[in-house]
Amino acid sequence: MKPSLLSFGLVLGLIMSTQPGCSSPKKQTFAGDPGQIQRPAGPAGRPPPQSQPAQSGPTVRRLNEPSSMPSVPPSGARLTYNSIKTDQKVLAMTFDDGPHPSNTPRLLKILRDRNIKATFYLVGKNAKAYPSIVRQMVAEGHEIGNHTWTHGSLTSMSDEQIRRELTMSSDAVFEAAGYRPQTIRPPYGAINQRVKELMFSEFGYPTIMWSVDPQDWRKPGVAVVTSRIVTASHPGAILLAHDIHAPTIDAMPGTFDQLLAKGYRFVTVSQLMNIEKTSPPLGALTTPVTVAGANPAPLQP
Ligand code: NI
């Protein structure tokens, strides 16, 4: 980012943090005065499991009932996740590279209107530039993951560089919202065994990839982004998008509404991991059922 752009962003961030509702587009409002958002009181800076703002609005909200699953990864989490195996119609929507000073608040409103909880993989330097947006994410029950400090490729960094990138990014989120990321998404999806194991053993981070990628950063058009996500979604999917691009935000209302209409429920990444941990094996659900009085069905080979 160029210095002049950075300065502009900082000034804009300052304006937004002091004047709720003063942002693009018009009529957009924050959930509340950022200065009044309560810091999470959970252990180790984790957010309370059901941090929910006062809500009002469309009936579509009922379609995504809040999950009682915890918003932290389960013990015994796997090293890498692209999706989970489940027959439940659950999806984890993830947004990378923010916060962005105008696109991210617009997205948060879209999520709030549908009671959808998402997971944001924040670039540390952006979190430091827009702390009020980070606070708003946590206050509204979203999960935040680590996406490094500079958005560099982890596989080309030394162990020491990786430690610095992850620590600086985690610290920026903690300073903004009293919350520490619990998972990592590697920029560009660049990952190898050395990096995964370092991040897991030293930071406790499972590596979170994705199973649905609409390539929204190429800006293929709103309808294309929606159709790619809706068509490719499957139970247990992790969906990838980027909240720094305005057309991606434009695509989200239609995307969410179509997926909700198909019976999908949105959970955060950690909630998805917990669903896998607590679900019975898929095979256990396909055992033939014998109807009383009928001849016993032969066992399937
Ligand atoms: Ni990224």
Side-chain angles (χ1 to χ4, degrees):
M1 186 181 282
K2 293 172 186 170
S4 58
L5 193 57
L6 180 62
S7 309
F8 171 77
L10 287 169
V11 169
L12 186 57
L14 187 61
I15 292 169
M16 290 170 62
S17 68
T18 53
Q19 296 185 7
C22 176
S23 57
S24 175
K26 291 169 187 173
K27 289 190 176 178
Q28 179 186 337
T29 56
F30 280 93
D33 181 347
Q36 295 178 344
I37 291 174
Q38 292 185 345
R39 300 283 176 113
R46 289 168 179 176
Q50 291 298 322
S51 172
Q52 305 239 359
Q55 295 182 350
S56 62
T59 52
V60 70
R61 169 169 297 125
R62 284 192 224 109
L63 293 172
N64 196 61
E65 294 294 340
S67 167
S68 59
M69 284 284 174
S71 290
V72 292
S75 61
R78 291 193 268 123
L79 190 61
T80 313
Y81 289 80
N82 294 76
S83 61
I84 65 158
K85 288 188 178 123
T86 180
D87 64 345
Q88 294 184 44
K89 295 187 86 172
V90 287
L91 302 169
M93 187 74 223
T94 66
F95 294 96
D96 286 12
D97 301 351
H100 181 281
S102 58
N103 293 328
T104 304
R106 192 154 67 89
L107 172 62
L108 288 171
K109 167 90 167 68
I110 292 166
L111 293 166
R112 192 163 63 243
D113 285 346
R114 293 162 177 79
N115 195 27
I116 289 173
K117 307 306 178 194
T119 303
F120 290 88
Y121 285 95
L122 301 184
V123 174
K125 61 182 183 177
N126 293 344
K128 188 169 181 67
Y130 307 111
S132 63
I133 301 177
V134 181
R135 274 195 294 280
Q136 186 185 355
M137 288 172 176
V138 172
E140 296 183 0
H142 302 295
E143 182 170 337
I144 294 176
N146 201 324
H147 198 45
T148 77
W149 177 252
T150 61
H151 203 266
S153 174
L154 290 166
T155 50
S156 56
M157 293 181 195
S158 69
D159 289 3
E160 195 47 46
Q161 282 177 302
I162 292 171
R163 291 184 189 106
R164 194 162 54 243
E165 285 273 337
L166 301 192
T167 301
M168 287 179 73
S169 188
S170 179
D171 286 352
V173 172
F174 186 77
E175 283 163 22
Y179 171 101
R180 288 208 180 269
Q182 306 289 319
T183 65
I184 174 88
R185 170 163 289 150
Y188 315 107
I191 195 69
N192 59 27
Q193 199 67 14
R194 168 186 69 100
V195 176
K196 277 196 276 194
E197 287 178 359
L198 184 158
M199 300 193 299
F200 194 72
S201 64
E202 296 190 19
F203 292 82
Y205 290 161
T207 293
I208 308 300
M209 307 297 277
W210 55 85
S211 60
V212 175
D213 177 6
Q215 301 262 302
D216 61 303
W217 56 274
R218 294 179 188 269
K219 303 186 177 171
V222 169
V224 173
V225 170
T226 292
S227 132
R228 284 177 180 171
I229 294 176
V230 171
T231 304
S233 285
H234 58 90
I238 298 174
L239 316 179
L240 170 66
H242 299 79
D243 57 319
I244 54 173
H245 302 306
T248 297
I249 312 302
D250 296 337
M252 286 303 112
T255 302
F256 292 146
D257 291 343
Q258 287 186 40
L259 289 170
L260 289 169
K262 282 171 167 267
Y264 279 104
R265 185 163 59 88
F266 290 89
V267 295
T268 70
V269 161
S270 287
Q271 288 171 338
L272 194 75
M273 294 158 70
N274 278 284
I275 287 170
E276 179 179 69
K277 180 99 189 281
T278 56
S279 295
L282 278 180
L285 302 175
T286 57
T287 304
V289 176
T290 303
V291 179
N295 291 329
L299 289 175
Q300 300 294 315

